[in-house]
Amino acid sequence: MKSHTRIKIPAGFWAGIHQLGIAPHDVARKAQLPLTIINEPVVTTDQYFAIWQAYSDLIDDTAEGIIKLTTVFETAHYPPAVLATYHARNYRDALKRMARYKRMCPPESLRITEEGENCTIELDWLYTEQPGPPLLVGITLAFLLELGRRGTGQPLMARFVEFTHSMGDIQALEAYFGCHIRIGADCNRLTLHRGDLDLPFVSYNEELLEILTPVLDKSLGEQQHSHSITEMVKWIMKRNLAGGRPDIQTVASELGMSNRTLQRRLTDEGTSFKHLLTQVRHNLAREYLADPTFDIKEVAFMIGYEDQNSFYRAFRIWEGDTPANWRTEHLGADSIH
């Protein structure tokens, strides 16, 4: 499912890079892509990541690139989906719209959680196992704060920022976000002050939203239909399995639809949530058991079984054998070939 996902290059992307004194042709060359890519409206996930990585390689410092590209972008050049977030009622409304419309422009996926005094936004990748380049990660999270600053007209600060990879000049980034930044975290996450989410946007424009929202919702619907729901559900399940069994509620809310709609869409594709969950667990069990570095207890946990016995029973139904015997047989067969 890796590279057939089509990704829209954000409008104004090449112009923004040009404004920073980097020639788009140099980016294409560095990415080892044909120069015509500059005029392509859509690219594959691999090409998209290669473009960001090339841009990152051409600048001196990742942090500097993040700050420059985030702040140089003029609001007037925002694509319609982003424009809608800028004209939202308040910061919360803007972030929710951003998460919703990000689904139209994979590969970034945003998960927003409000708890206590915090609002955390976790960045993930849709339809790809490959994580995005650090520069893209940084810009995605920085832009969410930039959106709040531009919308409210106030110099908002983040509460905490976590990145999995190095981001260059950390002090410059801490000055931009206004908080401590942790590198080497287990995920990429921006934590905001929850109280800031209630701040109204000075750029709120009800008439424009009335025009834009139905158009964007229609595009989102078309985008979701172009990906089989079965594939999307399996991908979300796979990502959420370790240490727990994803329920239909979790998956449906990630897809921005109700449980009933999701069930209906799966029925239309001739399957069910329960069937897909079994399929994903079965495939992952085989994949993990084929790797001798995982012990069987770990495999059971990683595919969402809290106790080993339930895993053993399920595996016997799938393969007619115990996980240990299956592993011995398959690892032995592999070494003979």
Side-chain angles (χ1 to χ4, degrees):
M1 211 177 13
K2 194 164 111 186
S3 60
H4 60 246
T5 300
R6 310 300 285 169
I7 292 163
K8 278 184 186 167
I9 287 280
F13 172 79
W14 294 111
I17 278 183
H18 197 68
Q19 247 178 301
L20 296 175
I22 289 173
H25 287 92
D26 290 342
V27 176
R29 263 191 217 102
K30 187 85 178 165
Q32 297 182 319
L33 295 170
L35 296 182
T36 50
I37 201 91
I38 293 161
N39 304 313
E40 295 283 332
V42 289
V43 293
T44 65
T45 305
D46 292 349
Q47 289 171 332
Y48 185 68
F49 284 173
I51 289 167
W52 279 101
Q53 190 54 56
Y55 169 54
S56 184
D57 292 342
L58 288 167
I59 54 176
D60 296 331
D61 182 75
T62 307
E64 187 189 343
I66 291 168
I67 297 162
K68 275 187 175 171
L69 205 55
T70 304
T71 50
V72 78
F73 233 75
E74 289 168 37
T75 314
H77 293 155
Y78 286 169
V82 181
L83 205 56
T85 65
Y86 178 67
H87 293 297
R89 185 181 291 274
N90 57 25
Y91 196 11
R92 178 180 285 103
D93 183 28
L95 290 170
K96 281 187 175 167
R97 284 173 185 273
M98 184 63 105
R100 181 166 165 69
Y101 297 136
K102 266 287 172 206
R103 294 194 204 104
M104 268 189 324
C105 312
E108 301 97 334
S109 157
L110 302 172
R111 209 186 310 201
I112 302 174
T113 314
E114 289 188 46
E115 208 174 299
E117 292 178 6
N118 293 341
C119 167
T120 61
I121 305 159
E122 197 174 318
L123 171 62
D124 217 323
W125 306 102
L126 278 175
Y127 321 124
T128 176
E129 301 296 320
Q130 183 192 354
L135 181 73
L136 176 58
V137 170
I139 283 174
T140 305
L141 294 188
F143 184 76
L144 296 173
L145 182 61
E146 185 70 18
L147 177 67
R149 287 174 176 170
R150 291 190 191 192
T152 62
Q154 293 186 38
L156 304 181
M157 299 295 182
R159 199 173 194 129
F160 192 48
V161 183
E162 294 154 278
F163 290 120
T164 54
H165 292 79
S166 163
M167 289 284 164
D169 183 351
I170 208 76
Q171 281 158 323
L173 271 188
E174 288 188 334
Y176 174 79
F177 281 101
C179 67
H180 175 64
I181 290 177
R182 182 176 161 227
I183 301 293
D186 59 355
C187 66
N188 295 296
R189 187 165 39 204
L190 168 69
T191 302
L192 299 168
H193 296 270
R194 193 177 180 183
D196 289 346
L197 269 56
D198 295 315
L199 293 171
F201 267 25
V202 287
S203 46
Y204 174 49
N205 184 330
E206 198 174 0
E207 291 94 62
L208 189 62
L209 285 179
E210 276 173 15
I211 298 164
L212 283 176
T213 306
V215 176
L216 291 169
D217 285 348
K218 186 171 178 285
S219 306
L220 184 60
E222 285 163 7
Q223 174 86 8
Q224 288 192 335
H225 273 288
S226 75
H227 287 290
S228 103
I229 276 287
T230 300
E231 288 307 308
M232 289 163 81
V233 167
K234 279 162 80 171
W235 184 84
I236 293 169
M237 283 174 171
K238 202 171 170 182
R239 201 186 60 189
N240 289 323
L241 259 179
R245 203 169 67 182
D247 55 10
I248 192 159
Q249 184 96 40
T250 311
V251 177
S253 72
E254 276 209 46
L255 288 167
M257 55 179 74
S258 69
N259 295 7
R260 283 182 65 177
T261 303
L262 177 55
Q263 277 166 331
R264 194 182 67 244
R265 294 278 299 275
L266 289 174
T267 306
D268 291 347
E269 290 186 14
T271 187
S272 70
F273 189 84
K274 195 176 172 185
H275 175 71
L276 291 182
L277 185 58
T278 303
Q279 212 181 339
V280 167
R281 289 172 125 181
H282 183 185
N283 291 343
L284 280 178
R286 290 173 62 107
E287 197 181 303
Y288 293 146
L289 286 170
D291 181 342
T293 59
F294 294 125
D295 68 43
I296 291 170
K297 205 172 181 178
E298 272 182 294
V299 174
F301 175 77
M302 289 192 300
I303 62 168
Y305 284 99
E306 280 165 32
D307 71 293
Q308 233 171 305
N309 291 340
S310 312
F311 172 52
Y312 269 78
R313 278 195 299 274
F315 197 82
R316 266 190 177 285
I317 294 166
W318 300 333
E319 295 287 337
D321 210 340
T322 66
N325 287 351
W326 186 92
R327 169 175 267 178
T328 308
E329 213 170 287
H330 284 75
L331 290 179
D334 285 348
S335 60
I336 292 163
H337 293 313

